[in-house]
Amino acid sequence: MSRIDGRTPGQLRPVTIQRGWSKHAEGSVLVSFGDTKVFCTASVTEGVPRWRKGSGEGWVTAEYAMLPRATNTRGDRESVRGKIGGRTHEISRLIGRSLRAVIDYKALGENTVVLDCDVLQADGGTRTAAITGAYVALSDAIAWAQAKKLVKHGKQPLTGTVSAVSVGIVDGVPLLDLCYEEDVRAETDMNVVCTGDGRFVEVQGTAESQPFAREELDSLLDLAVQGCAELTAAQHEALARTLS
Amino acid sequence: MSRIDGRTPGQLRPVTIQRGWSKHAEGSVLVSFGDTKVFCTASVTEGVPRWRKGSGEGWVTAEYAMLPRATNTRGDRESVRGKIGGRTHEISRLIGRSLRAVIDYKALGENTVVLDCDVLQADGGTRTAAITGAYVALSDAIAWAQAKKLVKHGKQPLTGTVSAVSVGIVDGVPLLDLCYEEDVRAETDMNVVCTGDGRFVEVQGTAESQPFAREELDSLLDLAVQGCAELTAAQHEALARTLS
Amino acid sequence: MSRIDGRTPGQLRPVTIQRGWSKHAEGSVLVSFGDTKVFCTASVTEGVPRWRKGSGEGWVTAEYAMLPRATNTRGDRESVRGKIGGRTHEISRLIGRSLRAVIDYKALGENTVVLDCDVLQADGGTRTAAITGAYVALSDAIAWAQAKKLVKHGKQPLTGTVSAVSVGIVDGVPLLDLCYEEDVRAETDMNVVCTGDGRFVEVQGTAESQPFAREELDSLLDLAVQGCAELTAAQHEALARTLS
Amino acid sequence: MSRIDGRTPGQLRPVTIQRGWSKHAEGSVLVSFGDTKVFCTASVTEGVPRWRKGSGEGWVTAEYAMLPRATNTRGDRESVRGKIGGRTHEISRLIGRSLRAVIDYKALGENTVVLDCDVLQADGGTRTAAITGAYVALSDAIAWAQAKKLVKHGKQPLTGTVSAVSVGIVDGVPLLDLCYEEDVRAETDMNVVCTGDGRFVEVQGTAESQPFAREELDSLLDLAVQGCAELTAAQHEALARTLS
Amino acid sequence: MSRIDGRTPGQLRPVTIQRGWSKHAEGSVLVSFGDTKVFCTASVTEGVPRWRKGSGEGWVTAEYAMLPRATNTRGDRESVRGKIGGRTHEISRLIGRSLRAVIDYKALGENTVVLDCDVLQADGGTRTAAITGAYVALSDAIAWAQAKKLVKHGKQPLTGTVSAVSVGIVDGVPLLDLCYEEDVRAETDMNVVCTGDGRFVEVQGTAESQPFAREELDSLLDLAVQGCAELTAAQHEALARTLS
Amino acid sequence: MSRIDGRTPGQLRPVTIQRGWSKHAEGSVLVSFGDTKVFCTASVTEGVPRWRKGSGEGWVTAEYAMLPRATNTRGDRESVRGKIGGRTHEISRLIGRSLRAVIDYKALGENTVVLDCDVLQADGGTRTAAITGAYVALSDAIAWAQAKKLVKHGKQPLTGTVSAVSVGIVDGVPLLDLCYEEDVRAETDMNVVCTGDGRFVEVQGTAESQPFAREELDSLLDLAVQGCAELTAAQHEALARTLS
């Protein structure tokens, strides 16, 4: 059985990771998972939020947003509505936690990195693309901070790599990296964040139309671990290229 | 090895579920998981939100909040700050999704149930206590709606039961139903929502201090499934009592 | 002529004042005036707001709120609406002023007490129950601060006691401590806050359906003074019990 | 003993009531109590708020605000802060209730009058000047609505007149119509709203530095009743003039 | 061809500039351009916003607002809506920039002047009346600051004078100082801010119903320069009077 | 004398206009003026805002925003701050007015087009790039609406073309299309919006460090008209390409 876009159940959409997409940001990436495109910037500033001052430790945080017409019908701007919606809050927090999982705060020193993930075009999996792209932007930003001596010589604030992918059960079949059309039809939907060595940072599974059994959960985790391994490889490849 | 409060790793805190705690609400419960106390009310209104009108289907939603001094140090009121924080948003959404997982919208008809879960005292596991208590309040509210003929004769809007529990790894040991002190020390923290027949509605695992391996995830899921089964029994017992 | 609930015109509803209702707060009380139940906590913190720093004087303030289903029909959460309504503002300010009337700021020293009064169930008189309960919570919090040496040895920040009651004219008859059903039918409605020695801290009388004459005002004040005296006795009795 | 500005204890400040101060509003008044100047407009619109539609009854509401430099030091604009303060809320509600006390909603029919009271210059007593001036603006607006046939022939929506004054105890002496300097020194401060026939619409007394006794309350009420009688006369005089 | 109100195309409406309209503000003016009346206050405070501290330079800023019934139909208060509209923002910024154009920050020293321009009655040209009046209030406030030695002896923070006027094309004819009725019919509408020596501070031209040609722009600029010269004279005259 | 980036005073930066940059929007363009990159989408919906219903006329509006790291230092998100800043408001309104200048509302019929202009990277001239790009997106959206028969057969809602450019005086020399570094140094800064036939839609000139004379204004207008003509040509060229 083949999928809407002809993929096999365990196949990722084409993934591209373009670095250096902004002339201002210390790290910047345009990541695409098929038609989902997220622009990720990593901004480094000296100093940390007030509650962390004097700790000798750094901080990493993230903000996620969708452009109003990233989706098929235009959504209101959250700035115009005057408040951030629950979904935006939830995803921003997820991205922040995911990236912090591979940060050694002591090694980072009292510096802050803010990751902005703005969805330019959405077709499912925007949060997982954001995490995967943000890691690469973060990596470039850390390298910049090391070059600028904001991070002390010999210190490596990154303790590993992190990537993320969605999985779900559609018509009873576990699928990797759902596009929007699959996502709306999924009985179960899961976002999984893994480190490069295959351990879990976040596992968020939700029954959409009916509860799921342990075996289903297990097969989804298998798919996700394999997908994250491929994304990890794509991240390494992108970081191996010379940044013009 | 025994826990801070003398429990074994797989032991729940004492659970109490008091129904009929409000004279106004159609369903109301004071639920406690140890020192965590959450007041859950279920409010039934005829009609549904605008986007659902004419569908013949009902709606269930939830709002979660903490009283300012539910915790050890007083927190600002979100009403005073003028906006809801990300954590509140996230938990409200989780509770809503969890309860909707056992609702047959068609059978409910064009009625809305709002579940309000207000934490009176917090000691870890407030969201899981909220879900467990809210189910009982929802059940009473549905019975009220059936008695009032808001729900058509012979229709059963509830398709099952739902409960939730937290699990986590502390000092390398998987533990059930973390209290606050355990929660802050946990390396990994997971909230699991199950139906009464042991399937999953939500699985949300987060690495706090380090990524977790598949075997750790598996043992946490085992504990959670067992804990939810005990909570399901407590819910049945509470619902079996006569409401004065 | 007897009242809806069988009381005489000058009779209070059953009053209960339970101390120690929270394990976290420095003072906490669940107060009930009949079916009106208000949860009052007193939170002590060292230091004072910016505008009072260096004055050597303390500060006491209050916040009042209703849980969404405290009333017969569910009200929107003010946190969700993003702003506090006029009624909430007005009552929070009234409670704060009332409690500050019995505080010696110098004796309190640069400490702040915040009184949170959250209505769990409303049946008329929520603001007067809140003031009456908050006094007891404040008293416990001050005792805690004295024990912790936050308040200097020999200093007594409390200069008296304070309680409050509503009175009103229903069908031409002055009544004490209106329940909700009486309140909505009242021609005139008054909230009176008294010190334990029978003097006035606040008198707020409002003509609901028609202006009131001086004699009516006088008879309402008589009832209120008597009611406050009984509430003062109930406060003393509650404070005389040993806090487990 | 004479007062700061040479008045006797029972003497009002010079009162002026200028009608027709706006070319747009259906009723408009610039009222001054000494150096306190409030610009009151009454705006009539056909129709009523949604919750009152089809009742056949009208509605009257009020909004009070201070210009930022109405006081001795500039205050932030509430529009810039993005929320209305508690004091503003409280006074707006007081003005609205006071004016509604002399309105026959049935006679008004489904029309709405909004009273805007903007303080151009403050020197104590802004809310009482606002009520006193707003009554005159309301009266002109009602006459306009009668002339335009918005109000049915022969109907009189006004059931009486209303005015307000502040009283307080300064250095143990009850004083009428406090100016700012007196107000900040007052031990007790009361705002009283009366109908033209000398009955009470609102009585709001607050102990500022110490509780007050029944006799003090009585002498303040005496002063207030007399002051309101004089203000009623000033209102009649203003309304007797021809509006150019 | 004569205008709605009988003026010639190049004729201003009657202009009045009354100084000393507030007893509190350091500078205050009631300015009228025909039926447009704006109350302008200038508030001086020692110190500057945080981002300017230690620079030795002062700051001047402005806030513009309309009273709700300044216009023919009542508008909602921006404080009640909880946010400032785009038009208000835009005009506040324009007034601030215009006044800063004639300020020598160094000479002002670390003092701040806030200009509040509140429209009491609107009939077109409120922003230009506001700028013209605010200059006079600013001038009085600067003189006050010099007298109080907040500004160093011998320093003159004002580098010139500034005034503003609207111009527009109605039925193909360029007109000076449009009243509301002309403004709504204008094909092109321009606000011009000039210094006393006839140079430009701001030129903001907008095609309302159709684009405008270079010659039209030129003739509008000619009218505006002439109008500003007359307003400059009115400002000088007002400032020459003795402030009682 | 050559400019920072080697251009002559009257030379535009390289301009690129890429259509079809979004798979969802009815019209979409990535426009760049040198390093300034703005993503413009045009969203068409049937129907118009409430105040325009039944008029038979359409509506066009615009929203402008900057991504947080579009600039050299990261700015706070307006959605997180909970309100839109004055600059954003002002530019959104300018873009909307500019595009509406070439719309025939009757021909558009009761349809709405929303133009979203999100700055991905800023280097001066973001509002003029936004207007220039938004016109092309609007043009594609109108063509889409014609093809979908939302616009009646034979109707042409576009009455012309519109483009915009900034001009300014730097070190006494009038320059076309300022980059950021020039913009901050400019004595005078002007944004000019022209139709394709060389008439003006908006002229907004601001003295930054000193007032400007009529001759300076004239030479800036000359430059701007020439720059807009070149941008008009670039728009035509972009629209002449086949959209894949």
Side-chain angles (χ1 to χ4, degrees):
Chain A
M1 187 210 84
S2 100
R3 296 162 70 175
I4 291 158
D5 51 9
R7 284 186 285 157
T8 61
Q11 193 179 351
L12 292 174
R13 289 176 287 178
V15 172
T16 66
I17 301 177
Q18 301 176 48
R19 289 158 66 211
W21 221 68
S22 152
K23 77 172 211 178
H24 297 304
E26 286 73 35
S28 65
V29 159
L30 182 70
V31 60
S32 65
F33 280 21
D35 278 337
T36 288
K37 294 183 194 173
V38 186
F39 180 30
C40 308
T41 58
S43 299
V44 180
T45 47
E46 286 190 80
V48 284
R50 183 186 313 215
W51 51 272
R52 215 171 172 87
K53 276 191 182 142
S55 66
E57 303 195 342
W59 185 239
V60 172
T61 185
E63 291 184 2
Y64 165 97
M66 287 240 220
L67 291 196
R69 194 55 199 278
T71 46
N72 196 41
T73 54
R74 187 179 182 273
D76 287 342
R77 279 176 197 270
E78 294 184 318
S79 57
V80 171
R81 275 190 293 150
K83 52 182 165 185
I84 283 183
R87 181 183 174 277
T88 297
H89 253 144
E90 203 168 302
I91 299 178
S92 292
R93 287 159 55 91
L94 170 66
I95 300 172
R97 282 198 311 271
S98 297
L99 276 299
R100 286 194 292 273
V102 292
I103 284 290
D104 175 342
Y105 296 133
K106 280 282 177 210
L108 180 54
E110 290 204 11
N111 297 295
T112 297
V113 187
V114 180
L115 296 155
D116 285 291
C117 300
D118 288 88
V119 179
L120 304 186
Q121 188 169 281
D123 187 28
T126 62
R127 76 190 73 187
T128 54
I131 292 167
T132 303
Y135 169 74
V136 176
L138 174 62
S139 179
D140 275 337
I142 295 283
W144 179 91
Q146 289 172 320
K148 289 286 180 189
K149 312 286 188 213
L150 289 179
V151 166
K152 284 197 191 136
H153 183 69
K155 295 288 183 185
Q156 178 45 276
L158 285 172
T159 63
T161 76
V162 70
S163 65
V165 79
S166 74
V167 284
I169 298 176
V170 180
D171 297 334
V173 183
L175 302 180
L176 179 66
D177 187 24
L178 310 187
C179 67
Y180 179 72
E181 220 177 316
E182 292 171 335
D183 189 65
V184 295
R185 288 176 46 214
E187 292 107 51
T188 289
D189 178 18
M190 193 175 325
N191 290 292
V192 178
V193 184
C194 286
T195 49
D197 61 5
R199 285 182 297 158
F200 299 101
V201 168
E202 288 273 341
V203 173
Q204 297 199 338
T206 298
E208 296 292 343
S209 60
Q210 53 175 22
F212 50 99
R214 183 68 174 266
E215 314 81 67
E216 292 174 306
L217 175 53
D218 285 339
S219 60
L220 289 174
L221 290 168
D222 291 343
L223 273 183
V225 166
Q226 166 223 317
C228 282
E230 292 180 40
L231 291 166
T232 301
Q235 290 173 323
H236 280 303
E237 197 180 330
L239 285 165
R241 280 179 227 124
T242 307
L243 238 191
S244 54
Chain B
M1 192 210 80
S2 101
R3 295 162 72 173
I4 291 159
D5 51 9
R7 284 185 286 155
T8 60
Q11 194 178 349
L12 293 174
R13 289 177 288 179
V15 172
T16 67
I17 299 176
Q18 301 176 49
R19 289 160 64 212
W21 220 69
S22 154
K23 78 171 210 179
H24 296 304
E26 286 73 36
S28 65
V29 160
L30 183 69
V31 61
S32 65
F33 280 21
D35 280 337
T36 287
K37 295 184 194 172
V38 186
F39 181 31
C40 308
T41 58
S43 299
V44 180
T45 46
E46 286 190 79
V48 283
R50 182 187 313 217
W51 50 271
R52 217 174 171 84
K53 276 191 182 141
S55 66
E57 303 195 345
W59 186 240
V60 172
T61 185
E63 291 185 4
Y64 164 98
M66 288 240 218
L67 292 197
R69 194 55 198 279
T71 47
N72 196 41
T73 53
R74 184 178 184 275
D76 288 341
R77 279 177 198 270
E78 294 184 318
S79 58
V80 171
R81 277 191 291 149
K83 51 182 165 185
I84 283 184
R87 182 184 174 276
T88 297
H89 253 145
E90 203 170 300
I91 299 178
S92 294
R93 286 158 56 89
L94 171 65
I95 300 172
R97 282 197 311 271
S98 297
L99 276 300
R100 285 193 293 272
V102 293
I103 285 290
D104 174 342
Y105 295 133
K106 280 280 177 211
L108 180 53
E110 289 205 12
N111 297 295
T112 297
V113 187
V114 180
L115 297 154
D116 284 291
C117 300
D118 287 89
V119 179
L120 304 186
Q121 189 170 278
D123 188 28
T126 60
R127 78 190 72 184
T128 54
I131 291 167
T132 303
Y135 169 74
V136 176
L138 174 63
S139 180
D140 275 337
I142 295 283
W144 179 92
Q146 288 172 319
K148 289 286 179 190
K149 314 283 190 215
L150 289 180
V151 166
K152 283 197 190 134
H153 183 69
K155 295 287 183 185
Q156 177 45 274
L158 284 172
T159 63
T161 76
V162 72
S163 67
V165 78
S166 75
V167 284
I169 299 176
V170 180
D171 298 335
V173 182
L175 301 179
L176 179 66
D177 187 25
L178 309 188
C179 67
Y180 180 72
E181 221 176 317
E182 292 171 334
D183 187 66
V184 295
R185 288 175 47 213
E187 292 109 50
T188 289
D189 179 18
M190 194 175 326
N191 291 292
V192 178
V193 184
C194 287
T195 49
D197 62 4
R199 285 181 298 158
F200 299 100
V201 168
E202 286 272 340
V203 173
Q204 295 199 338
T206 298
E208 296 292 343
S209 61
Q210 52 176 25
F212 50 99
R214 181 69 175 265
E215 314 81 67
E216 292 175 308
L217 174 54
D218 285 339
S219 59
L220 289 173
L221 288 169
D222 291 342
L223 272 182
V225 167
Q226 166 222 318
C228 282
E230 291 181 41
L231 291 167
T232 301
Q235 289 172 325
H236 280 302
E237 197 180 330
L239 285 166
R241 280 179 227 125
T242 307
L243 238 192
S244 55
Chain C
M1 186 212 83
S2 101
R3 296 162 70 175
I4 291 159
D5 51 9
R7 285 185 285 155
T8 60
Q11 194 179 350
L12 292 174
R13 288 175 288 178
V15 172
T16 66
I17 300 176
Q18 301 175 49
R19 289 159 64 212
W21 221 68
S22 153
K23 78 171 211 177
H24 296 304
E26 286 74 37
S28 65
V29 160
L30 182 69
V31 60
S32 65
F33 280 22
D35 279 337
T36 288
K37 295 184 193 172
V38 186
F39 180 31
C40 308
T41 58
S43 299
V44 180
T45 46
E46 287 190 81
V48 282
R50 183 185 314 217
W51 51 272
R52 215 171 171 87
K53 278 194 180 137
S55 67
E57 303 194 342
W59 186 239
V60 172
T61 186
E63 291 184 3
Y64 165 97
M66 287 240 220
L67 291 197
R69 193 57 199 276
T71 46
N72 195 41
T73 53
R74 186 178 182 273
D76 288 341
R77 280 176 197 270
E78 293 184 319
S79 57
V80 171
R81 275 191 293 150
K83 51 184 168 183
I84 283 183
R87 181 183 175 277
T88 297
H89 253 144
E90 203 168 302
I91 299 178
S92 293
R93 286 158 57 90
L94 171 65
I95 300 171
R97 283 198 310 270
S98 297
L99 275 300
R100 285 194 293 272
V102 293
I103 285 289
D104 175 343
Y105 295 132
K106 280 281 177 212
L108 180 54
E110 290 204 11
N111 297 296
T112 298
V113 187
V114 181
L115 296 154
D116 285 292
C117 300
D118 287 88
V119 180
L120 303 186
Q121 189 170 278
D123 187 29
T126 62
R127 75 189 76 186
T128 55
I131 291 167
T132 303
Y135 170 74
V136 177
L138 174 63
S139 180
D140 275 338
I142 296 282
W144 179 91
Q146 289 172 318
K148 290 284 178 189
K149 313 287 188 211
L150 288 181
V151 166
K152 282 198 192 133
H153 182 70
K155 295 288 183 184
Q156 177 43 276
L158 285 173
T159 63
T161 75
V162 71
S163 65
V165 78
S166 75
V167 284
I169 298 176
V170 180
D171 298 333
V173 183
L175 301 180
L176 179 66
D177 187 25
L178 309 187
C179 66
Y180 180 73
E181 220 175 316
E182 293 171 333
D183 189 66
V184 294
R185 288 177 45 215
E187 293 106 51
T188 289
D189 178 19
M190 192 173 327
N191 291 292
V192 178
V193 184
C194 286
T195 50
D197 62 5
R199 285 181 301 158
F200 298 101
V201 168
E202 286 274 341
V203 173
Q204 296 198 338
T206 298
E208 295 292 345
S209 61
Q210 52 176 23
F212 51 98
R214 182 67 174 264
E215 314 82 68
E216 292 175 307
L217 175 54
D218 286 340
S219 60
L220 288 174
L221 288 169
D222 291 342
L223 272 183
V225 167
Q226 166 222 316
C228 282
E230 291 180 43
L231 291 167
T232 302
Q235 290 173 324
H236 280 302
E237 196 181 329
L239 285 164
R241 280 178 228 126
T242 308
L243 238 191
S244 54
Chain D
M1 190 212 82
S2 101
R3 295 162 71 175
I4 291 159
D5 51 9
R7 284 184 286 155
T8 61
Q11 194 179 350
L12 293 174
R13 289 176 288 178
V15 172
T16 67
I17 299 176
Q18 301 176 47
R19 289 159 64 212
W21 220 69
S22 153
K23 77 170 211 179
H24 297 303
E26 286 73 38
S28 66
V29 159
L30 183 69
V31 61
S32 65
F33 280 22
D35 280 336
T36 288
K37 294 183 193 172
V38 186
F39 180 32
C40 309
T41 58
S43 299
V44 180
T45 47
E46 285 190 80
V48 283
R50 181 185 314 216
W51 51 271
R52 215 172 172 87
K53 276 190 181 142
S55 66
E57 303 194 343
W59 186 238
V60 172
T61 185
E63 291 185 4
Y64 165 98
M66 287 241 219
L67 291 197
R69 194 57 200 278
T71 47
N72 196 40
T73 53
R74 184 178 183 275
D76 288 342
R77 278 177 199 269
E78 294 184 319
S79 58
V80 171
R81 277 192 291 149
K83 52 182 165 185
I84 283 183
R87 180 182 175 279
T88 297
H89 254 145
E90 202 169 302
I91 299 178
S92 293
R93 286 159 55 91
L94 170 66
I95 300 172
R97 283 197 310 271
S98 298
L99 276 300
R100 286 192 293 270
V102 293
I103 286 289
D104 175 342
Y105 295 132
K106 280 281 177 211
L108 180 54
E110 289 204 14
N111 296 296
T112 297
V113 187
V114 181
L115 297 155
D116 285 291
C117 301
D118 287 88
V119 179
L120 304 186
Q121 189 169 279
D123 187 28
T126 61
R127 78 190 72 185
T128 54
I131 292 167
T132 303
Y135 169 74
V136 177
L138 174 63
S139 180
D140 275 337
I142 296 284
W144 179 91
Q146 289 172 319
K148 290 284 180 189
K149 313 285 189 214
L150 289 180
V151 167
K152 285 198 190 133
H153 183 69
K155 295 288 182 184
Q156 177 45 276
L158 285 172
T159 62
T161 75
V162 71
S163 65
V165 79
S166 75
V167 284
I169 300 176
V170 179
D171 298 334
V173 183
L175 301 180
L176 179 66
D177 186 24
L178 309 188
C179 67
Y180 180 73
E181 220 175 318
E182 292 171 335
D183 188 66
V184 295
R185 288 175 47 214
E187 293 108 51
T188 289
D189 179 18
M190 194 174 324
N191 291 293
V192 178
V193 184
C194 287
T195 49
D197 62 4
R199 284 181 300 158
F200 298 101
V201 168
E202 287 273 340
V203 173
Q204 297 199 337
T206 299
E208 296 291 344
S209 61
Q210 52 177 21
F212 50 99
R214 182 68 174 265
E215 314 81 69
E216 291 175 308
L217 175 53
D218 286 340
S219 60
L220 289 174
L221 289 169
D222 292 341
L223 273 183
V225 167
Q226 165 222 317
C228 282
E230 292 180 41
L231 291 167
T232 301
Q235 290 173 326
H236 281 303
E237 196 181 332
L239 285 165
R241 281 179 228 125
T242 306
L243 237 190
S244 54
Chain E
M1 188 209 82
S2 102
R3 296 163 71 175
I4 291 159
D5 51 8
R7 284 185 285 156
T8 60
Q11 194 179 350
L12 292 175
R13 288 175 287 178
V15 172
T16 67
I17 300 177
Q18 300 175 49
R19 289 159 65 212
W21 220 68
S22 153
K23 78 172 211 178
H24 296 304
E26 285 74 37
S28 63
V29 160
L30 183 69
V31 62
S32 65
F33 279 23
D35 280 335
T36 288
K37 295 183 192 173
V38 186
F39 180 30
C40 309
T41 58
S43 299
V44 180
T45 48
E46 285 189 82
V48 283
R50 182 186 312 216
W51 51 272
R52 215 170 171 88
K53 276 191 183 142
S55 66
E57 302 194 344
W59 186 238
V60 172
T61 185
E63 291 184 2
Y64 165 97
M66 287 240 220
L67 291 196
R69 193 57 199 278
T71 46
N72 197 41
T73 53
R74 186 178 183 274
D76 288 341
R77 280 178 197 269
E78 294 184 318
S79 57
V80 171
R81 275 191 293 149
K83 52 184 166 183
I84 283 183
R87 180 183 175 278
T88 297
H89 253 145
E90 202 169 304
I91 299 178
S92 293
R93 287 158 57 91
L94 171 66
I95 300 171
R97 282 198 310 271
S98 297
L99 276 299
R100 285 194 291 273
V102 292
I103 285 290
D104 175 341
Y105 296 131
K106 279 283 176 210
L108 180 54
E110 290 204 10
N111 297 296
T112 297
V113 187
V114 181
L115 297 154
D116 285 292
C117 301
D118 287 88
V119 179
L120 303 186
Q121 189 169 279
D123 186 30
T126 62
R127 77 190 73 186
T128 54
I131 291 167
T132 303
Y135 170 74
V136 176
L138 173 63
S139 180
D140 275 337
I142 295 284
W144 179 91
Q146 288 172 320
K148 290 285 179 188
K149 313 287 189 211
L150 289 180
V151 167
K152 282 197 191 135
H153 183 70
K155 295 288 183 185
Q156 177 44 275
L158 285 171
T159 62
T161 75
V162 71
S163 65
V165 78
S166 74
V167 283
I169 298 176
V170 181
D171 298 335
V173 183
L175 301 179
L176 180 65
D177 187 24
L178 310 187
C179 66
Y180 180 73
E181 218 175 318
E182 292 171 335
D183 189 65
V184 296
R185 288 177 45 216
E187 293 107 51
T188 289
D189 178 19
M190 193 175 324
N191 290 291
V192 177
V193 184
C194 287
T195 49
D197 62 5
R199 284 181 300 159
F200 299 101
V201 168
E202 288 273 341
V203 172
Q204 297 198 337
T206 298
E208 296 292 345
S209 61
Q210 52 176 25
F212 50 100
R214 182 69 174 265
E215 314 81 69
E216 291 174 308
L217 175 54
D218 286 338
S219 61
L220 289 173
L221 289 169
D222 291 341
L223 272 183
V225 167
Q226 166 222 318
C228 282
E230 291 180 41
L231 291 166
T232 301
Q235 290 172 326
H236 281 302
E237 197 181 329
L239 284 165
R241 280 177 227 124
T242 308
L243 236 192
S244 55
Chain F
M1 190 212 83
S2 102
R3 295 162 71 175
I4 291 158
D5 51 9
R7 284 186 285 156
T8 60
Q11 193 179 350
L12 293 174
R13 290 176 287 178
V15 172
T16 67
I17 299 176
Q18 301 176 49
R19 290 159 63 211
W21 221 69
S22 153
K23 77 171 210 179
H24 297 304
E26 287 71 38
S28 66
V29 160
L30 183 71
V31 61
S32 65
F33 279 24
D35 280 335
T36 288
K37 295 183 194 172
V38 185
F39 181 31
C40 308
T41 58
S43 300
V44 180
T45 47
E46 285 189 83
V48 283
R50 181 186 314 218
W51 51 271
R52 216 172 171 87
K53 278 193 179 138
S55 66
E57 302 195 344
W59 186 239
V60 172
T61 186
E63 292 185 2
Y64 164 97
M66 286 241 221
L67 292 196
R69 193 56 198 279
T71 46
N72 196 42
T73 54
R74 185 178 183 274
D76 288 340
R77 278 177 199 269
E78 294 184 318
S79 57
V80 170
R81 277 191 292 150
K83 53 183 165 183
I84 284 185
R87 181 183 173 278
T88 297
H89 254 144
E90 204 169 302
I91 299 178
S92 294
R93 287 159 56 90
L94 170 65
I95 300 172
R97 283 197 310 271
S98 297
L99 276 299
R100 286 192 292 272
V102 292
I103 286 289
D104 175 342
Y105 296 133
K106 281 281 178 211
L108 180 53
E110 289 205 11
N111 297 295
T112 298
V113 187
V114 181
L115 296 154
D116 285 290
C117 300
D118 288 88
V119 180
L120 304 185
Q121 188 170 281
D123 186 30
T126 61
R127 77 189 72 183
T128 54
I131 291 167
T132 304
Y135 170 74
V136 177
L138 174 62
S139 180
D140 275 337
I142 295 284
W144 179 92
Q146 289 172 318
K148 290 284 179 189
K149 314 285 187 210
L150 289 179
V151 166
K152 282 196 191 138
H153 183 69
K155 295 288 182 184
Q156 177 44 274
L158 285 172
T159 62
T161 75
V162 71
S163 65
V165 78
S166 74
V167 284
I169 298 176
V170 180
D171 298 334
V173 183
L175 301 180
L176 179 66
D177 187 23
L178 308 187
C179 66
Y180 179 73
E181 220 175 317
E182 292 170 335
D183 188 67
V184 296
R185 288 174 49 213
E187 292 109 50
T188 289
D189 179 19
M190 192 175 325
N191 291 292
V192 178
V193 184
C194 287
T195 50
D197 62 4
R199 286 181 299 159
F200 298 101
V201 168
E202 286 273 339
V203 172
Q204 297 199 338
T206 298
E208 296 292 343
S209 61
Q210 53 177 21
F212 50 98
R214 183 68 175 264
E215 314 82 66
E216 291 174 309
L217 176 53
D218 286 339
S219 59
L220 289 174
L221 289 169
D222 291 342
L223 272 182
V225 167
Q226 165 221 318
C228 283
E230 291 180 40
L231 291 166
T232 301
Q235 290 172 325
H236 280 303
E237 197 181 330
L239 284 165
R241 280 179 226 125
T242 307
L243 238 191
S244 54

